[in-house]
Amino acid sequence: MYSYRLNDFGSIDHLQRVEEPRPRPGRQQVLIRVAAVSLNYRDLAILHGKSTLAPQAGLIPLSDGVGYIVECGEDATRFACGDRVAGIFFPQWLGGSLTPGNSGGAWGSRADGWLTEYKVIDEASLVSVPDYLSDEQAATLPCAAVTAWNSLTQSRPLQPGETVLTQGTGGVALFAVQFARLMGLKIIALTSSEEKAALLRELGATHTVNYRLHPDWYQQARALTDGVGVQRVVEIGGPGTLQNSLKSTASGGEIALLGFVAAGDESVDFMTLFTSGATVRPFSVGSREDFERMNLALAQSRLKPVIDRVFSFSETREAWRYFDRQQHCGKVVIKMDAVRQ
């Protein structure tokens, strides 16, 4: 089989395709023929040495993938051959809270990820995915979709009519807009162009704000909420956006701290934090239980993930280069070459 391995960091040139033996499943494991994978910002962070996960060199990258079980090991009973499954982001986090004991072995940083034609994995680290989704759509779920779902439903689940603020048109942001629409929330979506704003409105955004035209966009967020502020910010930018987010949040509201894609001053003004009355809560994707709960909502709503482009497995390095330019709207997906299946 073929796999891609990231032999060093700092350049996509370190991503090399290698031929290696097809693995065999052990006890309570299954062998998966991978059908599609998707890229996340954390993959770029690993590549460029900005990750918080202390990645190992030489691993197969990518946390998100979907495929079909082709062989079951001894005592593997949760699934059958032919079942379509996706991996959970943290392979040991099955439910409850994230702890040091269940946060290890993240795909692509501490264990081989999904950018390979065949993968052996413990059956406990897998979920079924809704039948209505294509392989490419299902491959977008494990990181971005679960993260967006938890940012809106955990801590204090938002109520219909409350307002959420989202940032940009990456995978997490677009899933957040789509889920917020299902939940009956008002949505203020930040973006950088009218073309992207049109997509956000189509997906359900109540209002869009161009952050290039309005660098102090908290003023627009306040005005659009009659001065009250928003009840939840899906905070993806991090250092470059947190000050504005604090000023946008209603007293008693919450900032779901998810990412760090926007450069900026990492210091947070104490008085801004103190007077905001907001809770800043970091989120780390979610558990298997969270993924399965989200899938029930997907199956009921038949929500369609937004995919920007699909590349073939043989175009993997081109896919990474395209993703690295960060001009996409939605998810970038790599589909396995049919000839290798």
Side-chain angles (χ1 to χ4, degrees):
M1 70 174 192
Y2 286 121
S3 304
Y4 281 86
R5 291 191 177 272
L6 189 58
N7 295 319
D8 203 350
F9 308 112
S11 170
I12 292 173
D13 292 337
H14 297 308
L15 185 67
Q16 298 292 326
R17 192 172 81 160
V18 296
E19 188 169 12
E20 48 196 28
R22 185 182 303 180
R24 296 292 305 275
R27 184 173 179 273
Q28 297 184 325
Q29 292 183 325
V30 297
L31 175 66
I32 298 167
R33 174 177 57 79
V34 179
V37 298
S38 71
L39 288 154
N40 293 289
Y41 180 78
R42 60 96 69 172
D43 302 310
L44 289 181
I46 288 172
L47 174 69
H48 295 306
K50 299 179 181 179
S51 173
T52 61
L53 298 175
Q56 296 176 205
L59 294 177
I60 296 171
L62 303 194
S63 61
D64 288 19
V66 67
Y68 296 83
I69 295 175
V70 294
E71 184 179 353
C72 295
E74 181 184 0
D75 296 330
T77 58
R78 290 191 72 231
F79 302 99
C81 285
D83 287 352
R84 187 174 66 159
V85 292
I88 61 178
F89 186 86
F90 291 104
Q92 300 171 45
W93 188 12
L94 306 186
S97 300
L98 185 65
T99 69
N102 61 23
S103 61
W107 309 122
S109 60
R110 306 304 296 175
D112 280 336
W114 282 82
L115 193 51
T116 181
E117 291 183 307
Y118 288 88
K119 180 170 179 60
V120 162
I121 187 170
D122 292 345
E123 61 173 359
S125 302
L126 298 166
V127 299
S128 298
V129 290
D131 291 339
Y132 78 93
L133 294 171
S134 68
D135 292 339
E136 295 91 331
Q137 292 168 336
T140 69
L141 300 180
C143 181
V146 176
T147 298
W149 172 261
N150 283 342
S151 74
L152 301 177
T153 62
Q154 290 199 356
S155 185
R156 180 185 72 81
L158 294 169
Q159 301 302 309
E162 293 189 308
T163 304
V164 61
L165 184 146
T166 66
Q167 300 173 347
T169 51
V172 174
L174 294 188
F175 274 120
V177 170
Q178 291 176 290
F179 286 139
R181 183 182 192 179
L182 293 180
M183 297 168 63
L185 303 176
K186 297 175 183 177
I187 306 161
I188 300 173
L190 304 180
T191 188
S192 60
S193 70
E194 179 53 38
E195 180 182 7
K196 293 178 179 179
L199 170 62
L200 288 162
R201 289 191 293 267
E202 180 182 342
L203 293 176
T206 315
H207 306 283
T208 58
V209 175
N210 188 317
Y211 61 81
R212 297 192 187 281
L213 298 178
H214 303 284
D216 294 326
W217 43 260
Y218 74 89
Q219 297 175 353
Q220 281 67 40
R222 286 282 176 180
L224 291 169
T225 55
D226 297 323
V228 173
V230 304
Q231 282 72 45
R232 185 71 47 88
V233 176
V234 180
E235 175 59 59
I236 297 169
T241 54
L242 186 54
Q243 292 278 12
N244 262 309
S245 292
L246 286 166
K247 295 178 181 179
S248 301
T249 308
S251 180
E254 183 173 295
I255 297 174
L257 191 60
L258 308 178
F260 47 93
V261 303
D265 184 0
E266 295 188 14
S267 63
V268 175
D269 178 71
F270 173 80
M271 292 307 297
T272 300
L273 178 62
F274 185 75
T275 59
S276 72
T279 298
V280 180
R281 190 183 304 277
F283 280 85
S284 296
V285 193
S287 66
R288 188 183 79 184
E289 182 180 59
D290 298 325
F291 199 160
E292 291 173 333
R293 189 177 294 115
M294 180 196 72
N295 282 340
L296 293 175
L298 290 176
Q300 180 69 26
S301 66
R302 302 185 75 82
L303 180 153
K304 295 289 184 70
V306 179
I307 294 176
D308 182 282
R309 281 189 64 179
V310 178
F311 292 82
S312 70
F313 189 59
S314 58
E315 297 173 320
T316 287
R317 291 174 71 177
E318 288 83 353
W320 278 67
R321 290 190 178 96
Y322 175 77
F323 191 69
D324 197 20
R325 292 197 290 272
Q326 298 186 53
Q327 299 299 309
H328 55 284
C329 290
K331 297 292 289 181
V332 174
V333 174
I334 299 170
K335 185 176 182 179
M336 296 301 115
D337 296 329
V339 69
R340 295 294 304 174
Q341 298 185 19

